[in-house]
Amino acid sequence: SNLLAVNTFTVTPTATKFVILDPIDNTVGQNVTVTVQAQDVNGAVVTSYQSDVTLNTSGSATGGGLVDIVNGIGTIVITDNVAETVNLTLSDSQGTGLNVSSTQNVVFAVGAFHHFAIDTIPSQVAGVPFNVVITAKDQFGNTVTTFTSTADLSVSTGAISPTVTSAFVGGVRTESVTLTTAGTVTITATRTGGSETGTSNSFVLAPASVSKFTLNDPGNMSVATRIGYTVTRKDQFNNLVTAGGTVVSLYSSATTGVFYDASSNGNVITSITIANGLSTANFWYYDDTAGTPTITASDNATSPDGATGIADATDSVTVSVVPVTPTKFVILDPTDSTVGQNVTVTIRVVDDNNNLDTTYSQDVSIQTSGSA
């Protein structure tokens, strides 16, 4: 008979390369596990392999570095707060000599809508439309391009138009808005029907150009005395205008009326200038004849012109031969202002009918509350 000889031997696989397995994509801020294998020429895992390799990540991803290979397999966790595709490569940092050409990528998708971001808004002018750029963001500041809802708009001072934006496109909305209340303001966007918000920077809304004059009502006066007036310039939205200088021409319907630049002595004037930085100017009216003249403040240097250009301001004052008997001090309602700015407070001495005693010269003290 024939005899068959059999030799038994063991084949030990040899690692020739590191291979990155395709990781599962995730959203920003979430962990992604990356697996690296030591494989032989046929793609089988070499379970006896124990040397390490370095994983490199692109973009803003964090967590890459030396991968601890145990029994031919190693894992490492990476994350990214930026919505992007992260490219994965290998480096033979341990000098193993294995092929490290394997590459993969992992996509970190945008997270859920979290808040709005509003682009920086420069100084604006009351009544003049301007664009507000609003972007829907996730919690890490990535643009949520799938957001297509609307946002409710509000402002820290006054009112805004419109109060609701049109629908977002690609997570962004550029809305033309109008504000009319001058001052330092901020705009807030809130998701319609939700609570997610975003607030703009503080910016200055300047008054529009001068639209009208106003005069205070100082009451009535006795003949041969002076009564004090304050003329104020405002824009069409009733904002106080302080920029530049404005000349105000003064008129009385009585030919006997005279205007002065001071409560006593001073100079006879026919106009007064509201200086740059101020919204008001003071003047005094004198009349030695009884009657009820109309006082007019106008931008026309020739004659009162009604609403042409800047609208005129008028006040009717009774000039009486009966002297005023003072009975009380009255604080006029001052114009509101902003912190750090001066506010002029005017106190009048009047009779029971609120007629001004232009001859009164005694003093009175005024108290203020808070930190004024």
Side-chain angles (χ1 to χ4, degrees), residues 351-365:
D351 63 13
D352 288 336
N353 295 317
N354 289 323
N355 295 312
L356 180 68
D357 183 357
T358 59
T359 64
Y360 195 88
S361 60
Q362 299 297 312
D363 297 336
V364 66
S365 295

Side-chain angles (χ1 to χ4, degrees), residues 280-350:
T280 63
N282 297 319
F283 63 90
W284 286 261
Y285 178 67
Y286 170 89
D287 204 328
D288 60 6
T289 303
T292 308
T294 297
I295 309 303
T296 302
S298 175
D299 64 326
N300 192 321
T302 304
S303 62
D305 59 3
T308 303
I310 301 174
D312 293 348
T314 61
D315 178 66
S316 180
V317 57
T318 298
V319 182
S320 174
V321 295
V322 178
V324 174
T325 301
T327 61
K328 57 186 175 181
F329 294 103
V330 175
I331 305 172
L332 299 187
D333 186 15
T335 301
D336 295 334
S337 188
T338 55
V339 291
Q341 301 300 309
N342 292 332
V343 171
T344 298
V345 179
T346 301
I347 302 171
R348 298 172 54 203
V349 180
V350 298

Side-chain angles (χ1 to χ4, degrees), residues 19-364:
V19 175
I20 308 170
L21 302 188
D22 188 12
I24 299 174
D25 297 333
N26 211 328
T27 56
V28 289
Q30 301 300 309
N31 291 334
V32 170
T33 299
V34 179
T35 300
V36 179
Q37 295 180 347
Q39 297 180 358
D40 63 15
V41 67
N42 296 313
V45 176
V46 180
T47 58
S48 61
Y49 196 85
Q50 310 298 329
S51 295
D52 301 336
V53 68
T54 294
L55 178 76
N56 306 307
T57 60
S58 67
S60 301
T62 60
L66 193 65
V67 181
D68 185 19
I69 303 295
V70 177
N71 299 328
I73 300 175
T75 60
I76 194 168
V77 175
I78 67 171
T79 189
D80 199 342
N81 291 339
V82 176
E84 60 183 348
T85 298
V86 177
N87 295 317
L88 307 176
T89 60
L90 296 173
S91 297
D92 187 13
S93 59
Q94 308 305 301
T96 66
L98 270 62
N99 186 314
V100 289
S101 63
S102 177
T103 62
Q104 287 289 350
N105 65 57
V106 58
V107 176
F108 286 91
V110 176
F113 170 61
H114 181 267
H115 66 277
F116 289 117
I118 301 177
D119 285 6
T120 298
I121 302 173
S123 298
Q124 302 294 332
V125 176
V128 178
F130 62 95
N131 286 336
V132 176
V133 181
I134 310 169
T135 305
K137 299 284 188 177
D138 66 14
Q139 63 175 318
F140 300 108
N142 300 294
T143 299
V144 183
T145 58
T146 56
F147 185 89
T148 57
S149 299
T150 61
D152 298 335
L153 299 179
S154 60
V155 67
S156 59
T157 302
I160 188 171
S161 177
T163 56
V164 181
T165 69
S166 296
F168 281 56
V169 177
V172 180
R173 175 61 195 171
T174 299
E175 193 73 36
S176 178
V177 305
T178 304
L179 306 178
T180 57
T181 303
T184 300
V185 298
T186 57
I187 295 174
T188 297
T190 303
R191 181 172 66 88
T192 302
S195 59
E196 301 90 344
T197 65
T199 302
S200 75
N201 59 297
S202 296
F203 62 96
V204 174
L205 186 75
S209 58
V210 181
S211 175
K212 60 184 176 183
F213 294 130
T214 61
L215 283 174
N216 65 316
D217 178 8
N220 299 317
M221 58 186 289
S222 300
V223 295
T225 61
R226 298 184 192 182
I227 192 169
Y229 275 96
T230 298
V231 58
T232 302
R233 54 179 174 173
K234 297 182 177 181
D235 67 11
Q236 60 180 311
F237 308 108
N238 286 321
N239 297 305
L240 299 177
V241 178
T242 59
T246 303
V247 177
V248 184
S249 295
L250 305 174
Y251 300 96
S252 171
S253 61
T255 57
T256 53
V258 179
F259 297 99
Y260 284 88
D261 61 4
S263 59
S264 61
N265 298 319
N267 303 303
V268 174
I269 58 173
T270 58
S271 66
I272 193 167
T273 298
I274 303 177
N276 181 43
L278 300 177
S279 60
T280 63
N282 297 319
F283 63 90
W284 286 261
Y285 178 67
Y286 170 89
D287 204 328
D288 60 6
T289 303
T292 308
T294 297
I295 309 303
T296 302
S298 175
D299 64 326
N300 192 321
T302 304
S303 62
D305 59 3
T308 303
I310 301 174
D312 293 348
T314 61
D315 178 66
S316 180
V317 57
T318 298
V319 182
S320 174
V321 295
V322 178
V324 174
T325 301
T327 61
K328 57 186 175 181
F329 294 103
V330 175
I331 305 172
L332 299 187
D333 186 15
T335 301
D336 295 334
S337 188
T338 55
V339 291
Q341 301 300 309
N342 292 332
V343 171
T344 298
V345 179
T346 301
I347 302 171
R348 298 172 54 203
V349 180
V350 298
D351 63 13
D352 288 336
N353 295 317
N354 289 323
N355 295 312
L356 180 68
D357 183 357
T358 59
T359 64
Y360 195 88
S361 60
Q362 299 297 312
D363 297 336
V364 66

